[in-house]
Amino acid sequence: MEFSDADFQEFKQEAFDLLDDAEKSLLAMSKGESLKKHFDPIFRAFHSVKGAAGMMSLDVLQAHMHELESFFTTVKDENSLPADVIDRLLQGCDGARRILNGETIEKPAPKEAPVSQSALNEFFSEAKEILQRTESSLNSAEKDMAKGLDVDAFYRDIHTIKGSSALFGYRSLAELTHCLETRMEKLRAGEESLSQGLLDILFKCLVVMEELLKSPDASHIDLEYLKVVLNEQSFSRTEEIKIVPQEIPMSEPVQVAPEAIKESAQPVASAEAEANQTLRVSVGVLDRLMTLIGEMVLVRNQVIQYTNKHDDLEFINLSQRLDVVTSEVQGEVMKTRMQPIGTILNKFQRVVRDVSKDLGKKIDLAFEGTDTELDKALLEAVKDPLMHIVRNACDHGLETPADRLKAGKSETGNLLIRSYHEGGQVIIEIADDGKGLSREKLAQKAVEKGLVTAEKVANMSEKDIQGFIFAAGFSTAAAVTNLSGRGVGMDVVKKNIEKIGGMVELESTYGKGTKLRLKIPLTLAIVPAMVVRCGEGKFAIPQVKLVELVLLEKDKTGARLETLQGRPVFRLRGKLLPIIDLDEVLSGKPREKARNEDEMTNIVVVNGEGMTFGVIVDEVLDTADIVVKPLNKLLKSLSLYSGATVLGDGSISLILDIGGISQMQHLTADGINEEQTKKVKVATNSDMNEFLLVGACSEAKHAIPLAMVQRMEEFDANLVEVSGDVNVIRYRDSILPIVSISKALGYKEKSGVVKDKISVIVTRLGTRSVGVEVEEIFDVITTDATINDSVHDRPGIMGNIVHNDEVVVVVDTLRAMDAFPFLRANNEKRANSKKRSGAKILFAEDTDFFRRHVGQLLQKNGYDVLTAENGKQALSFLQASEGSGEFDLLLSDIEMPEMNGMQLAKAVRAESRFKELPMIALTTRFNDVSVKEGKEAGFNRYLEKLNPENLLEEISKILASEDKRRVA
Amino acid sequence: MSSEAMTLVDSSNSGQTQYSTFLVAGRLYGIDVMSVQEVTMPMPLTNVPLSPPFVKGLINLRGQISTALDLRELLILPKDSPDGKMAVVCKHEDCLVSLLIDQICDVVGVSNESFERTPDTIDPDARRFFKGVHKLPENILTVIDVKSIFHSLNDKKGN
């Protein structure tokens, strides 16, 4: 392998540049500038030239630079350099230049095959891959000794490294791999069998090999000892487990095949073979692609907005295609940056192994969801915090075998790292079944550290106290070990995770274990956010910071802003919420008109720097996935912005940094109740269920699906008036009937209790609103628990979920309202009315664009729309619907994945209760044949997409005739 | 802009530097063409509340966000005439800035011999953004140093 002329010229150019730089600095110093400022650049320049010269086998130059470098190091601590020293250094530079020029005439004969940097890089990454692979195979062999090690594969991998390391001049590495190979040959021949002792040595070898890759001469490693150990025969004495060397597991034939080629061929050839499958692309190119895609998405959005104003069919078609293709391109480009989390997790096996050995503990580390993918940059960012957490768990969390036995647990501690997608985030859970966090110890420590007073701590909730482990300098470990316990851990973990827009949650039960949950955004570049208006400007608030939205209305008693020392506050469910006015923050001066005078006041409740506060904005506009662009350095000093983004209409929105704002406003976390900081997701596209926890006249807490809740209100009790037997409240120019949830569910109401305020949940029943009075509003919870419907003793109860080890009753508000005859009457009246503006329409459509487009159109016209992404989903929605949730009309696309419109229609008609359900097909495939087909499948109408007037007319027609039929 | 000291774009003799020239408050300024990415027509500005006075806002430049800087403010020029809206876009270390100008003029090649450093009598707050001046027969061309705008404004932040 020879380096080309081009390589040499490139090197020479670079060396000249470096020498020029060094000289410039030297000259600056001769003019009196300090050495301190210039030492580093000069040293780097010398060192780089030396390194490069070594690589190119330019021995003379290398030696020269080495001398220069050493000389320069001796003057390191001087303040400034005397002229003669500078002269000498300058002469040294000249000398280097002469050597460089002198040698261009005849290219130096390579002493030992010199290598280009790119080939070397190739070697590095290949070797790293191999080491990773061998390590994981050793790990699995250790786990399951009986299955043994795939010796052949191991041997081949080692052989590959040996071959290439010799080629690239990594002598020690080559020698070590040679010894390893010899030893493996014995295994292969069946002369020796796999034992724990041997595995230990192999692990050790891997560590050393990695070390050697970093620094080939690695004199600090006792190679000789390892070699001796490797050559020793004696290990066959220890406990043995037979392995069958020739038997390669059938499940891995694919992996074996290319490896076989590798064994005989040169490493270079194998690299070529691999090149057909994969391609190494620089991250810079990918970043550039990402930016371009971001721009393309914006253009796409603008095209679609433009399309909406026009009805040129051809153009609409084209823009739809552009939409689809752009989304796909975006998806694919994002994928290029994604890596499975397993790539970093595999490292932990060894860490846990080593740590547990050191500590004399038995720890079993297991993974779930290692193929969960995450942006590479984020993956790098979570690596260290994760390592910290894992070490912490091993060190503090899990007990020694003796302690575990005493506590009635199995000897081996379990550590589980689980990762999965949830609601547009990646969740990484690290759970151990160790001793958990002790309230007493934490509280004691917190008081000792002066974080909190002893009186205060006694009243704090478990969760608040556990939160102390995230405080800086907090450590409960009795002794500082070399692993952890220095108290620099968890606060750094939390800070680092939050820096990338993630969150850390802690759950711990004393005696049972601890679970840490990291919530990581999928990518750094795109975040879901809420866009608000303040004055003329639009601002985006990242959704991770959002807690909830509160709307205050004038003329409504009970909820309004109050002032405390001139600063506004708001009572949110009985707790004081500090309020800042975004307008005042941005303008830097107080508002002229008090907010309480406004018709409506929007408060965005956010969570920044561990505290919750409300931000008053002029208007809440929309939620959107925004592409974060950093602000110009000139604006970096403005701590209230974390960046900017371009919205769909091409306008720019600044992204608010909630943490920065709270610091600006000097809001601190002192004394703020953490319970309320639980996040409420505004996005609807998640598989999680959200419930409002309320109290009724019953022991259990009750949960109302958040989707059913229009708003939460608190009324003065004396505002309640009576109409007939029904309680009502005048509310927003209409009369709101108030019914009690306890009554609805048939609980016995507490008598004799007179309340000043009543908590009311406004829910929608058909076209009208109903106020449901509850005893207390607790919280909004997000849970993935499924509703268990095995126990529901009365109508109006859907079933139960378990939340925080507590059974919560899930209320079906719609059914529960059936307990009140007057509401039922209203429902029926609605069903019979001619004007069917509140009719429920199920809309199946696979294209996002049309789903949104048509859905919004129908909603604008007063229909209640539920959308499904394909026929299958639509059918399941239909089947699940019952009672007042039944649909009045099915609107469906024809071309859909999973189940197309025709199949859907047939399936619907096959069920007896849907025999008469009006169905409309909405399609671009519009010809006589397909219309006939559609009619046969069961559609009542067959309409063309993109003709909104026609669609609306047909819907109202078909609903009207359906009403007539029902009445008849 | 025609004169003997200037020649039009193509001439790239080594003794010459090409400047993109423009007018702000009636004065002639120039930036080395190599530092200019493009010149844009007036574009909508998004105000950045609480930003320093020289930041006029943000501009959506085909999906990239560029920061608009007010040259009147930076160069301490009278603000009697209406604000400039056209912009000279420059890039520095991945940061885009749009310098707001009143009117764009030609790209001219100027002989390096006519170069002179900025006279000391100029207000140092403005002078720090100048590389120097070119004496043209009919006019004086002040050369703006884009790098120094980035650097000195950043340094100011640090204090």
Side-chain angles (χ1 to χ4, degrees):
Chain A
M1 190 178 292
E2 276 203 2
F3 59 93
S4 64
D5 243 359
D7 283 343
F8 184 74
Q9 288 305 334
E10 200 175 303
F11 156 72
K12 204 174 124 184
Q13 191 51 49
E14 195 182 320
F16 273 133
D17 286 349
L18 285 165
L19 289 169
D20 284 350
D21 286 348
E23 199 171 287
K24 225 185 268 164
S25 294
L26 285 169
L27 291 172
M29 275 197 293
S30 69
K31 288 198 185 114
E33 289 191 30
S34 73
L35 173 64
K36 210 171 161 194
K37 188 171 156 201
H38 291 289
F39 181 84
D40 278 351
I42 297 176
F43 183 80
R44 252 198 319 273
F46 288 170
H47 190 78
S48 303
V49 174
K50 172 179 132 183
M55 186 70 76
M56 305 294 285
S57 303
L58 301 174
D59 292 349
V60 185
L61 182 60
Q62 190 188 4
H64 178 82
M65 291 316 290
H66 181 74
E67 209 171 306
L68 203 54
E69 187 185 310
S70 322
F71 170 66
F72 189 52
T73 335
T74 57
V75 298
K76 186 182 175 185
D77 297 324
E78 306 289 329
N79 232 341
S80 60
L81 293 183
D84 59 323
V85 173
I86 292 180
D87 281 349
R88 227 183 117 186
L89 286 167
L90 284 172
Q91 279 162 12
C93 289
D94 290 343
R97 285 206 190 87
R98 272 200 303 276
I99 297 173
L100 269 169
N101 279 329
E103 284 195 355
T104 41
I105 305 155
E106 45 181 308
K107 242 168 38 181
K111 188 183 64 170
E112 96 192 4
V115 196
S116 78
Q117 191 59 38
S118 71
L120 198 65
N121 281 341
E122 193 80 18
F123 160 62
F124 275 141
S125 51
E126 191 188 12
K128 261 188 208 147
E129 262 167 44
I130 290 177
L131 284 181
Q132 234 166 42
R133 188 164 60 223
T134 45
E135 190 180 325
S136 65
S137 75
L138 282 183
N139 271 324
S140 60
E142 188 179 31
K143 275 238 166 84
D144 189 359
M145 280 278 205
K147 210 178 116 212
L149 181 66
D150 184 349
V151 184
D152 283 343
F154 193 87
Y155 184 87
R156 273 195 305 273
D157 280 341
I158 296 298
H159 186 82
T160 310
I161 295 189
K162 176 180 141 185
S164 37
S165 57
L167 188 71
F168 286 83
Y170 281 59
R171 290 192 179 282
S172 324
L173 189 59
E175 279 170 37
L176 178 63
T177 38
H178 179 75
C179 293
L180 245 178
E181 210 179 84
T182 321
R183 184 65 177 261
M184 292 319 283
E185 256 163 18
K186 277 187 198 128
L187 260 184
R188 212 146 75 132
E191 285 173 28
E192 191 190 344
S193 32
L194 195 65
S195 63
Q196 184 62 46
L198 181 60
L199 273 177
D200 283 345
I201 296 175
L202 293 180
F203 271 120
K204 185 82 195 154
C205 285
L206 288 185
V207 179
V208 173
M209 278 158 76
E210 228 167 275
E211 212 47 52
L212 285 173
L213 267 178
K214 279 182 211 145
S215 49
D217 52 337
S219 48
H220 58 284
I221 300 167
D222 193 355
L223 260 185
E224 290 313 311
Y225 171 72
L226 248 187
K227 278 191 236 161
V228 171
V229 173
L230 268 176
N231 288 330
E232 236 172 54
Q233 303 284 333
S234 55
F235 273 101
S236 34
R237 274 188 280 112
T238 50
E239 42 158 30
E240 289 171 1
I241 295 145
K242 270 268 173 236
I243 57 148
V244 193
Q246 294 308 323
E247 227 174 82
I248 295 154
M250 288 309 288
S251 59
E252 298 174 327
V254 193
Q255 204 195 338
V256 175
E259 301 288 320
I261 307 165
K262 203 178 265 184
E263 190 185 15
S264 53
Q266 283 295 311
V268 185
S270 78
E272 264 166 30
E274 255 173 37
N276 293 331
Q277 306 297 319
T278 55
L279 195 62
R280 284 184 215 281
V281 181
S282 89
V283 177
V285 174
L286 291 183
D287 285 345
R288 177 99 189 98
L289 258 180
M290 278 293 278
T291 330
L292 287 172
I293 284 296
E295 288 178 29
M296 189 166 158
V297 168
L298 288 169
V299 174
R300 188 263 320 255
N301 293 350
Q302 281 161 25
V303 169
I304 286 176
Q305 279 193 352
Y306 179 79
T307 313
N308 290 345
K309 293 185 212 136
H310 295 75
D311 35 279
D312 179 345
L313 204 62
E314 184 83 355
F315 181 61
I316 290 169
N317 266 332
L318 284 174
S319 85
Q320 194 197 345
R321 278 209 341 248
L322 176 70
D323 179 26
V324 174
V325 173
T326 312
S327 303
E328 265 178 42
V329 173
Q330 187 185 13
E332 291 301 314
V333 172
M334 298 276 271
K335 259 191 227 158
T336 59
R337 293 185 52 93
M338 297 300 228
Q339 282 198 323
I341 195 160
T343 50
I344 59 166
L345 290 183
N346 287 336
K347 272 245 168 299
F348 292 176
Q349 277 294 7
R350 194 164 86 206
V351 173
V352 169
R353 189 180 171 279
D354 294 351
V355 169
S356 56
K357 238 181 194 162
D358 285 353
L359 295 168
K361 294 181 181 178
K362 285 189 178 169
I363 300 172
D364 186 27
L365 174 65
F367 300 123
E368 259 177 49
T370 45
D371 50 358
T372 309
E373 290 194 323
L374 201 60
D375 191 292
K376 187 170 165 26
L378 285 170
L379 211 54
E380 286 300 316
V382 296
K383 200 161 107 187
D384 288 345
L386 260 183
M387 181 72 85
H388 232 113
I389 294 171
V390 168
R391 287 183 164 213
N392 254 334
C394 295
D395 200 8
H396 311 314
L398 293 162
E399 314 93 324
T400 56
D403 284 349
R404 288 187 65 87
L405 286 175
K406 236 184 272 167
K409 299 180 189 176
S410 67
E411 214 177 13
T412 310
N414 291 301
L415 190 59
L416 173 69
I417 302 183
R418 194 169 153 238
S419 47
Y420 54 97
H421 287 274
E422 183 185 285
Q425 285 180 313
V426 171
I427 313 287
I428 306 172
E429 274 179 9
I430 305 96
D432 66 58
D433 63 348
K435 56 180 175 255
L437 293 172
S438 150
R439 184 191 164 102
E440 285 72 37
K441 265 194 203 163
L442 282 171
Q444 192 195 336
K445 199 86 182 176
V447 174
E448 255 172 48
K449 295 260 170 193
L451 294 169
V452 70
T453 60
E455 302 85 66
K456 230 177 183 176
V457 85
N459 293 323
M460 285 176 80
S461 73
E462 190 82 3
K463 206 175 158 191
D464 288 345
I465 290 180
Q466 288 178 357
F468 280 131
I469 71 159
F470 293 115
F474 196 88
S475 168
T476 55
V480 172
T481 68
N482 65 341
L483 294 167
S484 44
R486 275 172 296 243
V488 287
M490 295 311 284
D491 62 315
V492 178
V493 166
K494 189 169 182 195
K495 224 174 258 162
N496 285 345
I497 295 293
E498 280 174 359
K499 213 189 277 166
I500 55 169
M503 294 209 327
V504 187
E505 283 176 5
L506 174 80
E507 230 174 81
S508 179
T509 319
Y510 185 57
K512 285 200 177 145
T514 307
K515 189 198 267 179
L516 271 159
R517 192 178 288 127
L518 311 184
K519 296 191 172 178
I520 314 290
L522 271 181
T523 76
L524 276 177
I526 295 177
V527 286
M530 197 177 64
V531 185
V532 299
R533 184 180 64 81
C534 181
E536 294 289 295
K538 288 179 191 166
F539 299 90
I541 301 173
Q543 226 152 67
V544 286
K545 299 289 183 193
L546 275 180
V547 182
E548 62 183 291
L549 299 176
V550 177
L551 177 67
L552 298 184
E553 280 164 288
K554 201 188 167 190
D555 301 332
K556 200 169 63 64
T557 39
R560 59 189 196 86
L561 292 172
E562 294 164 83
T563 47
L564 192 69
Q565 292 281 327
R567 300 292 296 263
V569 289
F570 175 67
R571 291 185 209 200
L572 181 69
R573 292 191 285 282
K575 305 253 164 56
L576 275 191
L577 184 74
I579 299 286
I580 57 172
D581 194 322
L582 190 56
D583 192 35
E584 288 180 1
V585 173
L586 297 179
S587 64
K589 54 177 191 278
R591 265 177 85 84
E592 285 162 21
K593 199 173 130 204
R595 282 286 183 186
N596 269 336
E597 316 243 309
D598 292 355
E599 279 301 313
M600 289 190 214
T601 309
N602 282 297
I603 302 177
V604 181
V605 184
V606 292
N607 181 12
E609 303 279 310
M611 74 159 300
T612 310
F613 60 96
V615 181
I616 299 183
V617 301
D618 288 348
E619 199 182 342
V620 174
L621 294 174
D622 202 1
T623 59
D625 283 343
I626 56 170
V627 181
V628 180
K629 312 236 173 194
L631 280 180
N632 194 307
K633 279 185 206 136
L634 303 176
L635 295 171
K636 276 277 158 66
S637 61
L638 292 177
S639 62
L640 74 165
Y641 308 119
S642 59
T645 187
V646 180
L647 298 176
D649 61 358
S651 66
I652 294 177
S653 156
L654 287 156
I655 302 166
L656 295 178
D657 182 341
I658 297 299
I661 289 179
S662 76
Q663 273 174 1
M664 248 177 84
Q665 298 291 309
H666 309 295
L667 296 170
T668 62
D670 189 38
I672 301 298
N673 193 320
E674 276 280 339
E675 267 170 45
Q676 288 175 14
T677 61
K678 183 119 193 172
K679 205 178 105 249
V680 179
K681 266 189 255 122
V682 181
T684 47
N685 57 344
S686 89
D687 16 335
M688 301 289 286
N689 293 312
E690 289 163 326
F691 295 100
L692 184 69
L693 279 191
V694 298
C697 291
S698 160
E699 301 253 316
K701 280 183 183 166
H702 286 62
I704 297 177
L706 203 59
M708 300 305 301
V709 178
Q710 263 192 312
R711 55 190 78 234
M712 296 168 252
E713 301 283 359
E714 204 167 62
F715 295 113
D716 274 343
N718 55 27
L719 280 178
V720 178
E721 295 167 72
V722 180
S723 157
D725 277 340
V726 183
N727 286 345
V728 294
I729 274 178
R730 274 174 283 164
Y731 175 72
R732 295 178 156 204
D733 303 330
S734 69
I735 292 180
L736 182 73
I738 304 286
V739 297
S740 148
I741 192 168
S742 307
K743 208 163 160 190
L745 297 175
Y747 297 133
K748 201 165 167 243
E749 292 198 58
K750 288 174 205 153
S751 53
V753 186
V754 182
K755 287 189 286 184
D756 317 338
K757 300 249 178 173
I758 55 169
S759 301
V760 170
I761 290 159
V762 182
T763 173
R764 203 176 188 91
L765 202 62
T767 51
R768 54 178 301 179
S769 299
V770 178
V772 179
E773 182 190 343
V774 297
E775 292 297 307
E776 203 177 344
I777 296 176
F778 295 114
D779 200 358
V780 176
I781 58 165
T782 309
T783 172
D784 56 354
T786 46
I787 299 172
N788 179 336
D789 59 357
S790 57
V791 182
H792 52 121
D793 64 340
R794 57 193 84 207
I797 287 181
M798 235 185 255
N800 301 291
I801 50 170
V802 176
H803 176 68
N804 278 355
D805 285 341
E806 205 178 334
V807 171
V808 176
V809 183
V810 182
V811 182
D812 178 350
T813 37
L814 287 172
R815 279 291 192 81
M817 290 309 113
D818 286 349
F820 304 100
F822 73 96
L823 290 174
R824 224 169 19 205
N826 254 325
N827 264 342
E828 276 153 26
K829 200 163 84 207
R830 178 183 68 92
N832 289 335
S833 71
K834 272 257 147 60
K835 194 167 180 308
R836 292 292 302 266
S837 64
K840 249 185 120 150
I841 297 179
L842 178 61
F843 177 40
E845 164 70 63
D846 59 327
T847 318
D848 197 36
F849 172 71
F850 278 110
R851 200 163 58 237
R852 240 183 287 163
H853 185 74
V854 178
Q856 278 165 3
L857 174 78
L858 294 174
Q859 263 161 3
K860 247 183 242 159
N861 282 280
Y863 294 105
D864 203 353
V865 185
L866 185 69
T867 53
E869 284 171 29
N870 55 50
K872 211 165 168 182
Q873 201 182 16
L875 189 63
S876 69
F877 284 160
L878 264 182
Q879 285 163 341
S881 69
E882 52 179 309
S884 47
E886 254 179 40
F887 295 98
D888 298 299
L889 180 91
L890 171 68
L891 194 61
S892 173
D893 185 23
I894 296 299
E895 299 294 341
M896 286 185 291
E898 297 275 348
M899 179 189 269
N900 70 30
M902 297 294 180
Q903 293 164 332
L904 171 64
K906 281 179 198 150
V908 170
R909 286 289 183 246
E911 293 200 26
S912 59
R913 65 172 172 142
F914 298 130
K915 274 264 180 306
E916 303 292 340
L917 178 74
M919 293 197 293
I920 299 179
L922 200 58
T923 179
T924 44
R925 207 171 71 175
F926 206 77
N927 54 46
D928 290 347
V929 183
S930 58
V931 171
K932 190 160 161 269
E933 237 178 272
K935 287 257 162 73
E936 277 167 9
F939 284 110
N940 301 58
R941 295 278 193 291
Y942 209 85
L943 299 180
E944 196 180 357
K945 263 181 199 172
L946 310 168
N947 189 342
E949 286 80 24
N950 196 9
L951 173 65
L952 288 173
E953 201 186 308
E954 286 291 337
I955 289 179
S956 80
K957 248 195 246 164
I958 207 166
L959 286 175
S961 68
E962 173 69 9
D963 283 347
K964 257 184 227 149
R965 191 188 58 76
R966 275 198 206 171
V967 173
Chain B
M1 285 286 121
S2 61
S3 92
E4 285 145 43
M6 299 186 224
T7 44
L8 280 175
V9 191
D10 304 322
S11 58
S12 48
N13 303 334
S14 53
Q16 281 204 336
T17 310
Q18 293 190 346
Y19 294 103
S20 188
T21 63
F22 49 84
L23 292 173
V24 186
R27 292 151 171 81
L28 184 66
Y29 294 96
I31 294 179
D32 187 341
V33 279
M34 299 315 285
S35 340
V36 176
Q37 178 180 314
E38 63 185 293
V39 176
T40 61
M41 295 305 283
M43 286 178 134
L45 285 172
T46 304
N47 180 37
V48 182
L50 302 185
S51 58
F54 58 81
V55 175
K56 273 277 151 178
L58 303 177
I59 290 176
N60 174 8
L61 194 69
R62 297 183 304 278
Q64 309 268 44
I65 292 176
S66 164
T67 311
L69 300 183
D70 186 359
L71 281 182
R72 275 167 215 274
E73 187 75 38
L74 285 177
L75 305 182
I76 317 170
L77 296 174
K79 286 167 194 132
D80 42 10
S81 50
D83 275 358
K85 279 289 160 61
M86 289 183 80
V88 175
V89 184
C90 303
K91 193 172 194 170
H92 178 71
E93 288 171 7
D94 279 343
C95 276
L96 282 176
V97 290
S98 295
L99 303 172
L100 297 181
I101 59 167
D102 292 349
Q103 194 195 327
I104 188 78
C105 305
D106 293 331
V107 173
V108 294
V110 181
S111 157
N112 289 348
E113 281 164 22
S114 66
F115 185 80
E116 214 169 285
R117 57 186 289 264
T118 322
D120 289 339
T121 48
I122 308 294
D123 184 339
D125 275 346
R127 200 176 64 214
R128 61 194 171 133
F129 302 125
F130 299 144
K131 247 186 195 152
V133 294
H134 277 286
K135 303 168 302 247
L136 307 182
E138 295 154 9
N139 211 338
I140 289 181
L141 174 69
T142 314
V143 179
I144 293 178
D145 183 5
V146 180
K147 257 190 206 164
S148 76
I149 291 186
F150 281 97
H151 287 142
S152 55
L153 292 183
N154 270 335
D155 289 350
K156 211 166 135 196
K157 290 288 114 46
N159 298 335

